[in-house]
Amino acid sequence: ATESGENSPRLMTAALLAYIVRPNPTMSRTVLLLLLLARARGALVPPPRVVMKFGGSSVRDAERIAEVASLVRAQMVEHSVQPCLVCSAMGKTTNGLLAAADRAIDEGTVDLSTVRALHVDTLDALSISGTEASEVVELLDKCERTLEGVALLGELSPRTRDLVVSYGERLSGRVVAAALRRQGVRAKQLEAWDVGVVTTDEFGEATPLDQSWEGIAASLLPVMEEGTVPVVTGFIGKDLQGRVTTLGRGGSDLTASLLGAAAGFDEVQVWKDVDGILTADPRICPAAAPVARVTFDEAAELAYFGAQVLHPLAMQPCRRAGVPFRVKNSYNPAAEGTLISADGSACSETRLVSAITSKNGVQLVDIESTRMLGAYGFLARVFAAFDRWRISIDVIASSEVSVSLTLNKNQLLERRSISALEQSPGVERSEALVGLMADLEQVANVRVSGGHSIVTLIANVGCSSAVVSAVCAAMDRLGIPVQMISQGASKVNISIVVPEERAVEAVQELHRHFFEQPPDCAGAS
C-alpha cells in the first residue's frame, strides 16, 4: 500500500478477488478500505494511451511479428496500456517493390515473387488463413496490376512510385493486425488516410497538413474507445485530391508522432533494434551506452548531425503538443530506452556531455570579403546567394568580413573557384555550385575544400567553456587540427570540424574523456 500508484491496479484486483472468494461483513469493510486506497493511489485514472511504432526490422518476418504481438499483449495485460500501433513495411519489402518497379520499366515484365513469397510464407508461419489471408493476397494482386500499368507505359512518375511503395506498409499492417487477433487482442488494420492523415502533394516527400490534427482525433479515438487496437500504416497518407503520398525518410516515425500528438496520447514509443539513443555510434565506440533522457532540441541536433536512430522531423508533432517521445528496443523490451521530452536533458554539472556524433563527407567553405562592406552588407550578400541557389548550411562561424561554413557533400563538390571548376576535365558540374560561386566571388575570395567531418557534442551549455576547453585539449593531445568550431543556435550543441580521416579517432578520444571515466573527472582536463 505504500508503493507507487503503478501497483494500484493489482491492489484493487486483489481486494476484489478476496471479497469474491470469502464474502463477509468484515471483509466488506476491508475491501472498501483497499478500494479507497487504490483509488488514492491512482488505480482509477484512465489507462495510459501509447502509440507503439514498429520499424521494418521489428516486423521483418513471422518470428518477429509474433514477438511484436506478444510484446503488445504484455503491455496491455501487465501495464494496462491502451496501444495504437504504427507499422513499417516488413524487412526489405520497400526495396523489393522499387526493384520490381525498375524491372517493369527496364524489362517490361512484372515480377513480385520475392515480396509475395515473404508475405505468403509469413501468413503460413503465423497460421493466418481465411478472410485475413485473402485480404493480403488481394492486395498483392492489386500491386501486381499497378506494376503492369508501369510496364505498359514504360515510366514511373513520382505519384505512381508512391502508390507502389505504399503497398509495403498496407501489407504489413494487415499481417500484424491478424497476428494480434491470434493472440486474443481485438485489433483492426487502418490506412493512415482512414484516420485523417492528409498531406501535401509533394510525392516522395509529402508533409502532413494541419487539418490532419483535427481529423486524427475525430477518427482514431472512437476506435480505441470501443476497446479495439488500431494498427495504422506508417509512412503514407493522401493529398487533398485523394492521391496516395509518402512522407519520405523517417516517415513512419513521423506518422506515430503525428497520431500521438493529435489525439493527445500519453506517450509515443518508437520501437527499433537498439536500446535507445546512445552516447556514440557503437561501431566506433564499443563502450557507448544508452542515454536515459534528452530534450527535443538535443535529439534533433543529434539526428541532424549524424545519429541514425531518428529523423529530425519525426519528433516535431510531439514537440509541438508536449507529448513525450521514447525510443525502445523491440529485441530488448526490458530496456528503458531513451525518453525525449521538453525538459529531459541528461547533461548536468558533473556530466557535461550527453552524446557525441559525427557527420562525414563535409565541405568547408571560407568566404572573405574583398570590398569595404559593413558586416550587414557582406553577410546579406552571402546569405542571399545561398538562398538564391537553395543550398543549406550545416554549421557556420562568422566575423565582420569573413565567414566559414560547412555544406553537405551532396550539395557541393570540392572546388576552389569557378575557373578551377571549368578547367577540370571530367568534373561533374552543378548548376547550383556554379551559380553560388559566381555570386559569392563578386564580393569575396572563396576557398572550398573537401574531406572534412563535423563532430558534434550535445552538451551542458551552462558549462560550455569547460566543454570547449576539454575538446580542444583532447584534439591537441592527438595532434588533430580543429578547422572550425561553432555553437548552435539551439544552445545545446558544440560542433568542431576536423579532417575526415581522423574523425573516428576524435570521437573515440572524446567519448573516453566524457564517458569512460568517473563523472567528476568528465569535465575539463
Side-chain angles (χ1 to χ4, degrees):
T2 60
E3 294 182 358
S4 64
E6 61 187 39
N7 287 322
S8 297
R10 298 179 182 178
L11 178 64
M12 185 170 68
T13 301
L16 290 172
L17 287 174
Y19 179 69
I20 292 170
V21 173
R22 295 187 62 186
N24 60 63
T26 302
M27 182 65 74
S28 296
R29 289 192 293 272
T30 303
V31 170
L32 179 60
L33 288 173
L34 288 172
L35 288 174
L36 289 173
L37 179 59
R39 180 167 185 170
R41 291 290 178 185
L44 300 183
V45 299
R49 287 176 170 167
V50 177
V51 176
M52 302 175 69
K53 179 264 177 179
F54 294 95
S57 65
S58 295
V59 294
R60 69 182 185 213
D61 54 28
E63 180 182 0
R64 290 307 308 162
I65 290 176
E67 288 288 339
V68 165
S70 297
L71 189 159
V72 172
R73 186 175 182 277
Q75 292 289 312
M76 297 173 69
V77 173
E78 298 174 13
H79 303 287
S80 301
V81 168
Q82 282 191 319
C84 167
L85 271 61
V86 173
C87 294
S88 298
M90 289 179 61
K92 299 186 180 297
T93 296
T94 300
N95 291 338
L97 290 169
L98 290 173
D102 289 339
R103 193 176 300 112
I105 297 172
D106 297 337
E107 302 174 11
T109 59
V110 174
D111 181 4
L112 201 63
S113 58
T114 302
V115 173
R116 182 180 289 273
L118 172 63
H119 290 83
V120 171
D121 290 347
T122 300
L123 292 174
D124 292 340
L126 294 173
S127 299
I128 297 171
S129 58
T131 303
E132 294 173 328
S134 297
E135 289 180 358
V136 174
V137 173
E138 288 173 4
L139 202 58
L140 286 165
D141 293 341
K142 189 173 182 179
C143 181
E144 281 193 340
R145 290 194 293 272
T146 302
L147 291 172
E148 288 171 359
V150 172
L152 181 63
L153 294 174
E155 62 180 13
L156 185 68
S157 68
R159 172 184 172 183
T160 304
R161 183 183 186 276
D162 276 8
L163 177 60
V164 170
V165 170
S166 75
Y167 286 106
E169 276 70 21
R170 296 160 73 185
L171 290 163
S172 172
R174 285 162 171 79
V175 176
V176 171
L180 283 168
R181 291 191 288 267
R182 286 291 176 275
Q183 297 207 19
V185 177
R186 184 178 177 184
K188 182 180 182 181
Q189 189 274 338
L190 295 168
E191 312 291 11
W193 48 81
D194 290 334
V195 295
V197 178
V198 183
T199 75
T200 61
D201 59 2
E202 299 165 291
F203 299 105
E205 293 287 343
T207 302
L209 298 174
D210 282 346
Q211 70 188 66
S212 298
W213 288 64
E214 183 177 347
I216 288 167
S219 303
L220 189 60
L221 293 180
V223 176
M224 299 189 67
E225 288 167 358
E226 296 174 354
T228 300
V229 175
V231 181
V232 183
T233 50
F235 182 61
I236 62 177
K238 280 187 176 180
D239 66 10
L240 292 172
Q241 285 72 48
R243 298 172 296 185
V244 175
T245 58
T246 62
L247 305 182
R249 182 169 170 248
S252 290
D253 290 352
L254 176 57
T255 301
S257 179
L258 178 62
L259 296 183
F265 277 62
D266 297 287
E267 187 170 286
V268 171
Q269 297 176 352
V270 176
W271 293 76
K272 296 181 177 288
D273 55 5
V274 292
D275 286 343
I277 295 175
L278 304 181
T279 52
D281 186 337
R283 295 169 297 182
I284 296 175
C285 302
V291 181
R293 301 173 64 92
V294 295
T295 65
F296 284 114
D297 281 340
E298 291 169 341
E301 295 287 354
L302 280 169
Y304 184 79
F305 286 107
Q308 300 296 312
V309 177
L310 293 171
H311 190 277
L313 297 178
M315 296 168 283
Q316 287 188 355
C318 279
R319 180 176 183 171
R320 169 178 164 181
V323 174
F325 190 104
R326 189 183 297 271
V327 182
K328 295 273 287 178
N329 188 351
S330 64
Y331 293 80
N332 183 20
E336 287 297 317
T338 300
L339 179 65
I340 305 170
S341 61
D343 55 357
S345 179
C347 294
S348 64
E349 292 183 359
T350 57
R351 179 63 71 197
L352 301 183
V353 174
S354 62
I356 303 171
T357 189
S358 61
K359 187 176 186 179
N360 296 328
V362 169
Q363 318 301 315
L364 179 62
V365 184
D366 295 310
I367 307 168
E368 185 176 356
S369 176
T370 57
R371 297 189 179 187
M372 297 298 294
L373 297 173
Y376 171 80
F378 171 60
L379 293 177
R381 293 287 295 270
V382 169
F383 290 126
F386 279 90
D387 178 65
R388 178 182 178 187
W389 297 105
R390 302 181 68 180
I391 295 177
S392 60
I393 298 168
D394 282 338
V395 296
I396 184 171
S398 67
S399 68
E400 186 172 5
V401 294
S402 65
V403 176
S404 292
L405 51 85
T406 63
L407 305 174
N408 187 278
K409 64 181 178 180
N410 294 325
Q411 298 188 89
L412 185 64
L413 302 176
E414 182 178 350
R415 304 290 179 263
R416 294 191 177 277
S417 66
I418 294 178
S419 58
L421 178 68
E422 292 175 340
Q423 294 170 7
S424 301
V427 169
E428 178 183 350
R429 302 188 182 191
S430 162
E431 179 182 353
L433 169 64
V434 174
L436 174 67
M437 299 292 283
D439 284 357
L440 291 176
E441 289 187 341
Q442 291 179 22
V443 295
N445 291 321
V446 183
R447 295 184 302 277
V448 182
S449 59
H452 308 283
S453 293
I454 300 172
V455 177
T456 298
L457 299 90
I458 301 304
N460 179 351
V461 293
C463 302
S464 59
S465 296
V467 176
V468 172
S469 174
V471 169
C472 291
M475 297 302 98
D476 183 61
R477 284 195 301 272
L478 298 177
I480 298 177
V482 176
Q483 298 157 320
M484 178 178 166
I485 187 167
S486 177
Q487 181 171 326
S490 64
K491 304 301 181 186
V492 301
N493 87 71
I494 293 172
S495 296
I496 60 172
V497 177
V498 299
E500 184 171 346
E501 66 271 13
R502 306 202 67 183
V504 168
E505 190 180 356
V507 171
Q508 289 172 338
E509 177 63 19
L510 292 172
H511 193 271
R512 277 192 292 268
H513 180 79
F514 287 109
F515 296 103
E516 299 174 38
Q517 53 183 307
D520 59 353
C521 298
S525 298

